[in-house]
Amino acid sequence: MNRSEWEWCLNNDDSLYYFPINHTVKGNYRIHFELSGSHNLRVSDAALAGKPVLLFEYVDEDDDRPAIIGFIEADSTIESMIDHLNSIDSIYHEPIYKSVYEWALQLFYR
């Protein structure tokens, strides 16, 4: 999809702002996902009351407000996602991006 098609889609469905367009691995337990506009999403392995969870931090780089956070209990870990992302070509990243998108919608889309 070219840039103008993507912008058209964003204008017609603002939930797509939560769909990752790129990622950067930050250590063994955190992935920084770049979203459209000035928004970013950091997803990390974490523990809450002794249970493993995924910690989501939704950040607007152009805004002075603190990050909005959320937690999701999941069977997968960021560590395993990193291993998978590193082992496949970037054209196959969409299934993980789609999972992250669906989780972000649950947590942050109103």
Side-chain angles (χ1 to χ4, degrees):
M1 179 179 305
N2 66 38
R3 185 172 177 84
S4 63
E5 290 174 323
W6 180 246
E7 288 176 6
W8 182 87
C9 290
L10 286 171
N11 288 332
N12 290 297
D13 183 357
D14 63 348
S15 75
L16 290 175
Y17 278 98
Y18 293 90
F19 197 91
I21 56 175
N22 200 359
H23 76 277
T24 306
V25 173
K26 302 288 187 176
N28 294 327
Y29 306 102
R30 178 177 292 161
I31 303 174
H32 177 97
F33 291 98
E34 181 183 332
L35 309 177
S36 293
S38 61
H39 297 120
N40 293 295
L41 188 65
R42 289 186 292 263
V43 185
S44 308
D45 284 332
L48 180 64
K51 293 184 178 183
V53 296
L54 300 181
L55 167 65
F56 287 74
E57 301 172 79
Y58 180 68
V59 179
D60 183 348
E61 298 297 333
D62 289 343
D63 197 353
D64 289 338
R65 290 183 286 171
I68 302 168
I69 64 168
F71 300 94
I72 290 184
E73 291 185 37
D75 294 330
S76 60
T77 64
I78 296 304
E79 184 178 28
S80 65
M81 283 185 200
I82 290 169
D83 289 343
H84 185 67
L85 286 167
N86 288 338
S87 70
I88 59 174
D89 192 271
S90 63
I91 62 170
Y92 301 111
H93 290 174
E94 187 173 340
I96 287 182
Y97 284 13
K98 186 174 182 197
S99 293
V100 169
Y101 166 72
E102 290 170 354
W103 289 328
L105 288 181
Q106 288 176 14
L107 293 169
F108 307 117
Y109 186 66
R110 307 281 180 239

